[in-house]
Amino acid sequence: MRPGAAEPGAGSPGAGGPADGSRGGGGPGAGGAAKRAGAGAGAGAGSLPWLLLAPCLGVLALVLGYPLTRLVTLSFQKFGQPQLWGFQAPESAGFDNFTAILGDGEFWAVVLRTIVFAAGAVVLTMVLGMLIALLQQRVSGWVKTLINIALVASWGMPVLVAVTIFKWMFDTDYGVLNWVLSRIPGVDVMGHNWFASGPQGLSVIMLLVVWGAVPFVAITLSAGLTQVPAELEEAARLDGAGSWGVFRHVTVPVLKPVIVMLATLSVIWDMGVFPQVFVMRNGHPEAEFQLLTTYSYDKAFVVNDYSQGSAIALLTVVLLLGVIAVYMRQMLKIGEVE
């Protein structure tokens, strides 16, 4: 063998040895293996979020699964006090409970009252929350700190304490509101009973709900306002837009996802108001104060008709699912536009 000649298999072009591995290893077999490895990695990455969510989903299934299943079961049964104490076995009622409820005019009056109550509370909450958030953008640092302290204090106050405060404020004989209003010339509301009629009483309860809900909305919107680009606002002003034009055409579109989210959450919370009405009316809400939550409670635990109470609660859940569906649709539209 001549000196310097390549030995067979030592990396000569025709030998196909290790020196040719950079090309030989990239053949069809190796490429297929790489693709399979990449697909496996992608599948693993796709299942990772579900694995991370599994503990949370498990807890939700344990906490909400049985009550919801029991609610659905009771709504299709005849279940009253005899069945509760075991004197009689539960009987299947089919859709009789829903037929009786949907054919009851009182139920539809309660539904309408609940919708009006929730709509009024949501509108007031969103308007006041936005006004406070805009105010925080225009005051000095220490004033903003005081506003945030007041918001957090009212937000963290227990519902029972807030109800007690409002009951004293609107008290017939010693209420501070009657005293303040009576100081206005020509106004005399001393001894006025704000709960003598349903509309007035529910208005007071609505103010209580709004008072507790505004802090969350105001703080969230205040954080969202910090993300509105100052360049867009300045460009709108240069184009001749006033304060209202900047708010309408710049601020609101940027904050739209946040506004939709807050409005949806407010609807869900205000449709489910219970302790404010229940405690304000001393545990016995009159007919003109009944909302869906208290109406379902009375049917189940006052009249002892647990099946109809469950059916009303299930119909309330369906209404709330409709609200959630509208929210998801709006968010998907916003995502498509962006």
Side-chain angles (χ1 to χ4, degrees):
M1 182 176 297
R2 297 189 306 271
E7 297 181 358
S12 61
D20 194 41
S22 60
R23 290 177 294 175
K35 290 180 180 179
R36 287 192 297 271
S47 61
L48 181 59
W50 292 105
L51 291 175
L52 295 175
L53 288 173
C56 180
L57 295 176
V59 171
L60 288 177
L62 290 175
V63 174
L64 300 177
Y66 174 77
L68 187 58
T69 303
R70 187 61 174 159
L71 179 70
V72 175
T73 303
L74 286 176
S75 63
F76 289 97
Q77 290 180 341
K78 181 182 178 182
F79 198 97
Q81 204 165 24
Q83 289 78 15
L84 177 66
W85 293 105
F87 298 135
Q88 295 180 12
E91 302 176 8
S92 176
F95 290 93
D96 291 346
N97 292 322
F98 295 97
T99 302
I101 291 169
L102 295 176
D104 187 3
E106 183 182 4
F107 169 76
W108 290 110
V110 172
V111 170
L112 178 61
R113 188 180 303 120
T114 303
I115 292 175
V116 173
F117 178 88
V122 170
V123 171
L124 280 176
T125 301
M126 296 301 298
V127 171
L128 292 177
M130 180 63 77
L131 291 176
I132 294 174
L134 292 173
L135 175 64
Q136 287 185 301
Q137 304 299 312
R138 290 165 172 78
V139 296
S140 60
W142 68 272
V143 176
K144 184 176 181 180
T145 302
L146 290 178
I147 294 176
N148 284 327
I149 292 174
L151 291 174
V152 173
S154 62
W155 189 17
M157 182 175 294
V159 175
L160 293 179
V161 177
V163 170
T164 303
I165 293 174
F166 268 72
K167 288 182 71 173
W168 275 108
M169 288 176 58
F170 290 88
D171 185 75
T172 302
D173 299 319
Y174 306 104
V176 65
L177 183 66
N178 287 350
W179 180 83
V180 171
L181 293 178
S182 297
R183 302 281 75 79
I184 301 175
V187 178
D188 183 12
V189 292
M190 293 299 295
H192 177 71
N193 185 2
W194 292 92
F195 297 94
S197 66
Q200 281 191 16
L202 284 176
S203 298
V204 174
I205 298 174
M206 183 187 299
L207 292 177
L208 170 61
V209 173
V210 171
W211 182 79
V214 161
F216 174 75
V217 174
I219 293 172
T220 305
L221 289 176
S222 179
L225 286 173
T226 61
Q227 304 303 313
V228 178
E231 297 82 3
L232 293 180
E233 295 181 342
E234 186 64 26
R237 292 190 181 93
L238 291 175
D239 289 339
S243 299
W244 171 249
V246 173
F247 176 77
R248 180 182 176 183
H249 298 291
V250 177
T251 306
V252 172
V254 173
L255 291 181
K256 187 176 181 179
V258 179
I259 293 174
V260 171
M261 178 196 70
L262 291 173
T264 305
L265 290 176
S266 297
V267 170
I268 294 173
W269 292 335
D270 296 340
M271 288 279 289
V273 165
F274 177 81
Q276 291 88 339
V277 181
F278 189 80
V279 179
M280 189 72 81
R281 302 313 301 144
N282 300 316
H284 302 285
E286 298 85 345
E288 53 189 354
F289 285 89
Q290 293 284 2
L291 302 180
L292 278 173
T293 50
T294 57
Y295 186 63
S296 173
Y297 176 88
D298 279 1
K299 282 289 186 181
F301 299 104
V302 177
V303 186
N304 293 322
D305 192 344
Y306 303 102
S307 55
Q308 282 208 1
S310 299
I312 295 171
L314 187 60
L315 291 173
T316 305
V317 172
V318 172
L319 287 175
L320 293 180
L321 288 177
V323 175
I324 295 174
V326 173
Y327 163 71
M328 295 301 299
R329 182 179 179 184
Q330 291 296 321
M331 294 306 294
L332 289 175
K333 285 184 177 179
I334 293 173
E336 290 176 358
V337 171
E338 292 179 352

